[in-house]
Amino acid sequence: MNFSRSRALFEKAQQLMPGGVNSPVRAFRSVGGDPLFIARGEGAKIFDADGNQYLDYVGSWGPLLLGHRHPAVIEALRRALEIGTSFGAPTELEVEFTERIRRAVPSIELLRLVNSGTEATMSAIRVARGFTGRELVVKFEGCYHGHVDSLLVKAGSGVATLGIPDSVGVPAAFSATTVALPFNSAEAVEEAFRRHGERIAAVIVEPVVGNMGCVPPAPGFLELLRRLTDKHGTVLIFDEVMTGFRLALGGAQHSFGIRPDLTTLGKVIGGGLPIAAYGGRAGIMSRVAPLGPVYQAGTLSGNPLAVSGGLAMLRTLEEHPEIYGQLEQRAGRLCDGVAAAARAAGRALTINRAGSMFTFFFTPDPVTDYETAKRSDTAAYARFFRGLLERGVYLPPSQFEAAFLSAAHSDEDISNTIEAVKGTLAEG
Ligand code: HOZ
């Protein structure tokens, strides 16, 4: 494969942006080699600047549930461009969009649109603190809630990929308001509530973690969080930036039957455009300005272009609920095929999957939390990643990021991917 154009662009980009990228995991640091510069996408495929094509299992890190350039999204964006790109004022589009989100996720009674998952989680935490008058926040090791100062403690995603313990630049006083606990540990959560109970403003959790690779909750874990937060008057925040509208129209909270107090959404609700949201119980959300004293604002919030893309996405999902069954079936076939290939090649692989998000962990042991995820052989993952790339399959360039399937991936794409995996594993 020829990567000369990507290489030349990377040379130049490194003079312009830290590490040559605008978000760290893209730099391919943990898998070696230079990052690909992407020229375009179509359906399940992306094409790099050298014209190489790949089956895309990153999907812009989750948003592209319908694949690249879905006709409904593209058409909506065309229409939106005709009316204007930003007003900094309310629009009818926002009303339909927020109404659809609320219908799909009934725990959300009032919501606010923002521009990124980071903004959504940062704002949700602020509201939870404003509502409870408390400061402590419980998060889980290996979960990533954007680059919010106080949530960068033992964070997943790029922080895990690069092995950065806790980000420099975050004042110690901010980190001191965070209690980081092992994901899936009932004992740790019970102990934290025994010790700090009445001081904990919020528990924030990815109900299915995507940012240390895919790690589903142990049976009863989310229920325990709901029970303890109810008992102590703590706000339970589900960070569904990855799982919202991906695991089901109603997100992980629908799949697991738990009603959080607040939810953060992003990724899929924008269909590839920069938009996110936070919302939940009206009693909590009515603390947000201008109704209440918790301040949060944004000129581009509810931007008509982003809302149009998101609306087209949500309408399509509502009109085609069969997409979820199809994703489940194809993701299951892919993961089963890869598991069989690994067994045949005598390779230790643990595959975690929730619906259309999954991770191939290079470890023989179950991966249930950050500690067990970190036991994976990241060098083996890097070889796997590069072998697949050379065979036209694009996985996340990190052991600690989930891979995503889109509705545009066909049965044939799945078969081709399994063949590519067999070839790669045969190489060692
Ligand atoms: N933190 C994102 C995935 N969990 C990666 C974002 C990006 O590099 O674009």
Side-chain angles (χ1 to χ4, degrees), residues 222-223 226 238 251-260:
L222 298 176
E223 288 79 355
R226 183 62 287 181
F238 273 12
Q253 55 194 271
H254 172 82
S255 309
F256 291 95
I258 310 278
R259 195 179 170 102

Side-chain angles (χ1 to χ4, degrees), residues 40-100:
R40 67 184 180 91
E42 192 68 50
K45 292 199 172 122
I46 48 171
F47 301 79
D48 71 16
D50 291 283
N52 304 306
Q53 55 171 285
Y54 311 86
L55 279 171
D56 180 15
Y57 289 99
V58 176
S60 187
W61 305 94
L64 298 179
L65 187 63
L66 301 177
H68 295 272
R69 299 191 73 251
H70 187 273
V73 176
I74 298 300
E75 182 46 35
L77 292 178
R78 270 203 194 103
R79 280 199 308 270
L81 284 172
E82 297 302 320
I83 60 168
T85 52
S86 183
F87 308 116
T91 63
E92 189 170 343
L93 286 168
E94 289 167 290
V95 177
E96 184 188 342
F97 188 54
T98 48
E99 205 169 27
R100 277 181 193 269

Side-chain angles (χ1 to χ4, degrees), residues 22-26 60-61 144 157-158 210-211 242 267 400-402:
N22 280 313
S23 193
V25 192
R26 296 176 195 182
S60 187
W61 305 94
Y144 176 74
S157 189
N211 284 295
M242 274 195 192
K267 310 259 188 197
F400 305 112
E401 295 280 2

Side-chain angles (χ1 to χ4, degrees), residues 228-251:
L228 287 173
T229 47
D230 272 343
K231 182 171 166 205
H232 292 271
T234 295
V235 176
L236 178 60
I237 306 171
F238 273 12
D239 179 349
E240 296 229 42
V241 167
M242 274 195 192
T243 52
F245 292 85
R246 174 164 283 279
L247 293 193
L249 203 57

